[in-house]
Amino acid sequence: MRDHETTPYSLPALSDAETVSRAQAVRDSLKRRRTCRYFSDAPVPREAIEAAIEAAGTAPNGANHQPWHFAVVHSAAKKRAIREAAEAEERRFYGEDGEAPKASEEWLDALHDLGTDAEKPFLETAPYLVVVFAQRKGGIEEDGQTQNYYVNESVGIACGMLIATLHEAGLATLTHTPSPMGFLREACGRPEWEKPLMIVVVGRPSDDATVPAHALKKKPLSQIASWL
Ligand code: IYR
């Protein structure tokens, strides 16, 4: 390594047995996470959202530019405005506006077993919408000038860490990606060099919440991993 300023780094020394059992415990907990589309309006403490965003903000990222912004939407009026704009886009996507769908037939087919349509009541019901923005430019100074690197990868990892933290806190989440979602930049007052990546809907599942059976089918380890 070239000479650079450093600080010591260590992790707790665990036995192999402890390492395995911790990994299995996290796996078992994350296996209980589901994408939830039915939310109650029960409140969620703001501190839990803050902590999850701080966790997301530790994600590995290009050149430590931390190219993300999390716009936390809580006001009923703002949630309603986002729902209305998102549903307008979704009606065009699904062809529920009387025109030909913008989504291909293949795409609509792929969504069939999830049961989704243009109705997005959860955007108003859930207590928090975390709108995640990827900063195409900006660096540490957030000046909109300097180049950022591996932006989608960095913000994607941060979203994973956000969702995992919220799940560990006992909260339900939904990654919602209205298509297109440029309207979110204006709704959240973000600059033009930021690209909305997804809305993470956060709350508690409603009492009658269900998830699509289709989404419970997960590929086995033997299919998703190879050992070389
Ligand atoms: N954004 C649309 C469609 C949609 C697309 C995919 I890929 C999904 O996994 C789920 C939905 C919607 O939210 O309905």
Side-chain angles (χ1 to χ4, degrees), residues 98-209:
E99 304 287 320
K102 278 179 61 190
S104 65
E105 212 173 310
E106 188 182 17
W107 195 347
L108 292 175
D109 257 11
L111 296 178
H112 179 266
D113 289 346
L114 295 179
T116 54
D117 60 19
E119 282 259 308
K120 306 296 175 193
F122 48 76
L123 292 173
E124 259 188 284
T125 322
Y128 285 104
L129 309 178
V130 182
V131 187
V132 183
F133 289 87
Q135 298 176 324
R136 288 180 286 219
K137 303 243 169 175
I140 288 285
E141 301 76 23
E142 308 220 357
D143 55 3
Q145 301 290 317
T146 43
Q147 188 58 49
N148 286 336
Y149 308 97
Y150 300 105
V151 171
N152 288 336
E153 293 85 345
S154 303
V155 186
I157 298 167
C159 287
M161 293 171 67
L162 177 76
I163 292 162
T165 306
L166 292 166
H167 171 72
E168 290 301 314
L171 295 168
T173 54
L174 163 63
T175 49
H176 179 54
T177 48
S179 166
M181 54 183 144
F183 70 90
L184 290 168
R185 191 183 299 116
E186 201 188 321
C188 298
R190 299 307 303 167
E192 50 81 21
W193 62 84
E194 291 187 2
K195 180 179 76 158
L197 207 69
M198 67 179 76
I199 304 175
V200 179
V201 183
V202 190
R204 317 244 182 225
S206 64
D207 288 340
D208 57 355

Side-chain angles (χ1 to χ4, degrees), residues 45-120:
R46 175 186 165 128
E47 290 87 342
I49 309 291
E50 288 175 347
I53 293 173
E54 285 177 319
T58 69
N61 67 90
N64 197 32
H65 284 193
Q66 303 159 60
W68 39 62
H69 181 86
F70 304 89
V72 184
V73 179
H74 185 53
S75 103
K78 196 51 101 179
K79 285 192 290 178
R80 173 181 295 257
I82 289 177
R83 175 184 178 180
E84 280 170 6
E87 287 185 336
E89 295 292 8
E90 297 292 0
R91 281 193 290 275
R92 286 188 274 276
F93 176 87
Y94 286 100
E96 292 178 24
D97 60 347
E99 304 287 320
K102 278 179 61 190
S104 65
E105 212 173 310
E106 188 182 17
W107 195 347
L108 292 175
D109 257 11
L111 296 178
H112 179 266
D113 289 346
L114 295 179
T116 54
D117 60 19
E119 282 259 308
K120 306 296 175 193

